[in-house]
Amino acid sequence: MLKIRRPQIDALTALSRRRFVVGAVAHLRDAHPERWDEASDEVAAAWVERRLDRGLALGLVEEVSLLRHLEVASRFDERFADSDDAIGVLHNLDELQSWPEPMELLGSLYQSPAET
């Protein structure tokens, strides 16, 4: 019987996270070059790590939800990305499949309080 021990699981989890962070940094550089082109890899990766921890704390577990959470925080601001409005959209996996429409919805939600 194959037995996977806790250190092996931890190593695989850490590898998966490192790969996600590298991919997320590359994605953010493509999606928002105005913000990320001049940031070093270390600075961008540290931001992604911090925001990833925050997304997990907010109950986001799917990679797509976490990646979109990073995009929202990058495009708008971190406080809005953590808001009930944004998190409600980011928990809806069906809606996230129709990206970028949810980002347009989030953009209107982001701008609406300022207009009132």
Side-chain angles (χ1 to χ4, degrees), residues 56-76:
L56 291 168
L58 291 167
L60 300 173
V61 294
E62 300 291 334
E63 282 190 12
V64 67
S65 297
L66 291 163
L67 185 61
R68 299 310 184 202
H69 185 253
L70 294 170
E71 282 187 60
V72 171
S74 175
R75 176 155 306 186
F76 302 121

Side-chain angles (χ1 to χ4, degrees), residues 80 85 105-116:
F80 176 72
D85 288 336
L105 169 63
L106 289 167
S108 65
L109 291 172
Y110 178 72
Q111 293 174 355
S112 65
E115 295 175 355
T116 60

Side-chain angles (χ1 to χ4, degrees), residues 81-103:
D82 296 349
S83 72
D84 290 342
D85 288 336
I87 294 301
V89 171
L90 296 170
H91 273 288
N92 186 336
L93 294 178
D94 290 334
E95 189 165 321
L96 291 180
Q97 300 306 315
S98 64
W99 202 260
E101 287 85 3
M103 181 62 107

Side-chain angles (χ1 to χ4, degrees), residues 14-33:
L15 175 62
S16 177
R17 184 176 174 119
R18 284 192 307 273
R19 286 182 175 163
F20 181 84
V21 169
V22 168
V25 168
H27 177 75
L28 290 173
R29 287 189 191 283
D30 287 342
H32 308 131

